[in-house]
Amino acid sequence: MEKIKGKIWVLINEEGKLINDIDTDQIYHNAYLHITDINEMGKYALGNLKGWEDFPKKAKKGDIILAGKNFGAGSSRQQAVDCFISLGISLIIAQSFGAIYKRNAINSGLPILTFPELDKNLDYFETGDEIEVNLLTGQIENLTKKMKFQANPMSKVQYGIYKAGNLFKYAK
């Protein structure tokens, strides 16, 4: 599945700016770390991010998240990746990712792409738009607004891990 199509959620604050430095505690609060069933984790996604507490009730399988710089900063909390897998989020696009989060997402087979110029193009994306993303070329097409953008593509290894399902399956 080289291309992913879905409805987007643009993580912005009250001023309409991308939220930067969303840490793993905002993505998945430490109050729920005792939950070990990945199928239960989705209902707590973004539950500690002001203005986005109801995200799990509104998100649908196949949806795509757009975020600012340093998404997933902080601890190596695997639940911060697993909660999106649980919800069926098909892709996260951010200006940049926290290093540990990025590695955890790739290893788990959760597709992520960096789009460093997202903030400069924010006027062309709004929650509810439908986009199609080519993971190998990095091309993002906003189908709602009929516009194209360029993100950084996945590496061949990242794509291989994604196609296999996770790092362990890829290694086999």
Side-chain angles (χ1 to χ4, degrees), residues 139-150:
Q139 181 176 316
I140 300 170
E141 183 174 359
N142 186 325
L143 301 171
T144 304
K145 295 189 170 56
K146 298 179 180 19
M147 301 179 79
K148 293 181 181 180
F149 304 89
Q150 187 62 48

Side-chain angles (χ1 to χ4, degrees), residues 11-149:
L11 301 184
I12 55 174
N13 60 23
E14 299 95 12
E15 292 93 43
K17 304 275 189 212
L18 282 171
I19 304 172
N20 294 320
D21 302 312
I22 298 173
D23 65 40
T24 54
D25 194 50
Q26 292 169 302
I27 296 170
Y28 194 86
H29 195 282
N30 64 12
Y32 305 110
L33 292 179
H34 65 282
I35 298 169
T36 57
D37 182 356
I38 191 171
N39 298 311
E40 294 297 314
M41 292 177 185
K43 59 184 154 189
Y44 304 107
L46 300 179
N48 202 24
L49 182 61
K50 185 179 178 206
W52 290 90
E53 298 88 351
D54 62 349
F55 173 76
K57 294 177 184 167
K58 296 177 179 177
K60 304 282 186 249
K61 185 176 181 174
D63 285 354
I64 298 168
I65 293 173
L66 273 62
K69 296 175 186 165
N70 204 24
F71 185 81
S75 72
S76 60
R77 187 173 303 175
Q78 181 64 38
Q79 296 90 335
V81 171
D82 291 344
C83 67
F84 295 123
I85 292 171
S86 174
L87 281 176
I89 298 301
S90 64
L91 174 64
I92 300 174
I93 300 170
Q95 284 186 266
S96 63
F97 291 89
I100 297 170
Y101 190 89
K102 180 178 181 177
R103 194 70 249 169
N104 285 348
I106 291 170
N107 290 347
S108 297
L110 176 64
I112 61 171
L113 289 181
T114 55
F115 182 14
E117 303 296 315
L118 179 57
D119 60 339
K120 294 179 178 81
N121 292 288
L122 191 57
D123 291 343
Y124 308 112
F125 294 98
E126 59 186 293
T127 294
D129 286 355
E130 185 176 34
I131 66 171
E132 183 174 71
V133 181
N134 185 313
L135 301 175
L136 294 176
T137 66
Q139 181 176 316
I140 300 170
E141 183 174 359
N142 186 325
L143 301 171
T144 304
K145 295 189 170 56
K146 298 179 180 19
M147 301 179 79
K148 293 181 181 180
F149 304 89

